[in-house]
Amino acid sequence: MHATQRITVPFDGEGDGVEELTWGQFAAWRSMLIVKATEWTGGTMPLDAGTTVRDIATLLGFIMSRHQSLRTRLLIDGDGPPKQQLVRGGEVTLEVYRDDGDPERLAAAVRARYEATHWDPATDWPVRMAVIADGDRAVHLVALYCHMAIDGYGFEALVADLANLEPVTGRQLAPVDGIQPLELARAQRGRSARRQHEASQRYWDRHLRSIEPRRFAEALVPQDERWWEATFTTPATALALAAVADRTKVHTGTVLLAAYAVMLGRLSGQPVGAFRIVVSNRFRPGFAASVSNLAQAGLAVIDTAADTFDEVVARAWNSQLAAGMHAYYHPSDLWALVDQVGAERDTELDTLCYFNDRRRSAAQAPAGALPTPRQISDALPRSSLRWGPRSNEFDATCYLHVDAVADGIELTWRVDTASVSPAMLETCLRGIESLVVTAALDRATAVAGRTG
C-alpha cells in the first residue's frame, strides 16, 4: 500500500513562540511516555460527490494556517518536561491513494498505518491526512490528529469551524474563535487558574484520603496477555436509558455511570468507588470553540449502597457535577499529591478506573417519544458481545468507553486481568444492561444491590 502522490501543502498563520505546555498537553505527553504510544482522534469518511483532491489540499492548508495547535511541535531540551513551540508557517504533506474499488477498506488500512507509524513530537506535525481518489475526484478522506494537539471536543470544534472556509480560494471568512495554546499556557500561570487548580487539589486530597486504596482488593493472577477488552452492543440499554433518564431528570450518561458504579461495587465488594471521568472543560469562558486539548480527568466518588437504583443515579449526578468543577489542574501537582497521600497512608493508591462517555447525546434530554416496555424487552435478544484485542502494553485498571452506534450503544471495557478476570469483564457488561433495563421496566424492583 503506497501513496500514488504526495502533495506539499504550504500554510501560514498568526503567532509563533515557545511556551510551557498547557495542562491538557502535559497530561497527553505523560500518557504517551507511560503507554509508549501516540493517541489520535479523527478517522475516515466518504466525501461528497464533486469533491476534488485540490479541495482537500485547500482544506488542509486552511486548518493548518488557522489553528495554532496544529502547527505546534514539542521542544525537548534536557530531562524536564518539553515546551510547546509554535511556528508561523511551513509545509505539510497530503497523501493521495488510488481508488482500488473499495475506498472504505483502503481508507481504513491507511488509518491503521497512520496510527501504527511512529510520531516524533519534535519534528512531525500533529496532523496526518490522506485522500482516496479516482483521478482528481476525491472519494474518501483519512484525517488523524494527535491528542497532544486536540481532544475529541476540539475535533468537533475543528469541524464546526470549517464553515469559515471559502472553499474555492481557501480564504478565512471570520476570525479564529476560542483560546489558543500559547495564550492558554500563559493564562494557566495566572491568579484565576491557580485558584481553580488549588480548589481541585483540595477536592482530590479529601477524597484520596477516604477511598479504598485498591479498586479491587483481591489481586488476581493476570493472563499471559495482561490487558483484555470486550465490546458489548446493546440496543435495549439505549432504549432503557431514555426511560430512566426521563424519570430521574438527568442525562443518560449519568444513568450509565450509576449502573457502572453498581456493577463495580458488586464485583469488588466495595460499594463506594472512585471513577476518573473525562471532563471537557469547555464550559469555561473562551474554551467552547477552541481547537486544542482541554479535556482532563475528574474524580467522581459514588456510594452505591442504596435501596433503589434511582438513589444511585442521584448520587452519580451530584458526583459528576463535583468532578466537573474540580477537573482543571496542573497534572504534575496532582500526580505528586497522589504519591504523597499514598505514602502517608502507607499504600499505593489505585486511581485508574475510568469512565468515558463519548456520545455527545449523553448530555441531552431524551428526544421524541419514550420507548415502551415492549420495545425495550424486544430489543434484548439483539445484544451481542465480542472480544477485542489483548496486549501487555500498560493501561488502566479498567476503562469503560461508551459510543453511539446505529442500533443502540456500545460499551467497550478494557481491564487489567490482575484485577478483573475475563469472566468478571463479561459479567459487568451484561450486568449494566440488566440494571438499566430493570430500572426502566420495573422501578419497584430496581434495587441497586448492596454488596456483601
Side-chain angles (χ1 to χ4, degrees), residues 92 99 158 186 229 248 300 356 424:
V92 66
D99 183 4
L158 174 66
R186 298 184 193 107
E229 178 181 299
T248 55
N356 183 20
M424 293 165 66

Side-chain angles (χ1 to χ4, degrees), residues 23 26 194 197-198 201 329-340:
W23 296 344
F26 201 101
R194 294 306 302 178
H197 165 81
E198 289 163 6
Q201 290 283 100
Y329 53 81
H330 197 305
S332 65
D333 289 349
L334 177 64
W335 301 326
L337 176 65
V338 173
D339 291 341
Q340 174 192 327

Side-chain angles (χ1 to χ4, degrees), residues 220-229 389-394 414-422:
L220 306 178
V221 177
Q223 303 292 313
D224 290 339
E225 291 174 294
R226 181 165 168 173
W227 278 270
W228 283 42
E229 178 181 299
R390 307 169 188 175
S391 76
N392 281 312
E393 295 178 0
F394 180 83
R414 186 166 180 81
V415 304
D416 179 357
T417 58
S419 296
V420 181
S421 70

Side-chain angles (χ1 to χ4, degrees), residues 11 40 64 69-73 85-93 119-128 144 146:
F11 59 86
W40 301 89
M64 293 293 296
S69 61
L70 303 186
R71 42 191 171 87
T72 295
R73 293 167 169 154
Q85 183 173 35
L86 170 67
V87 301
R88 187 176 297 274
E91 296 176 338
V92 66
T93 299
W119 179 70
D120 186 338
T123 60
D124 295 339
W125 300 117
V127 179
R128 290 177 172 172
L144 292 182
C146 176

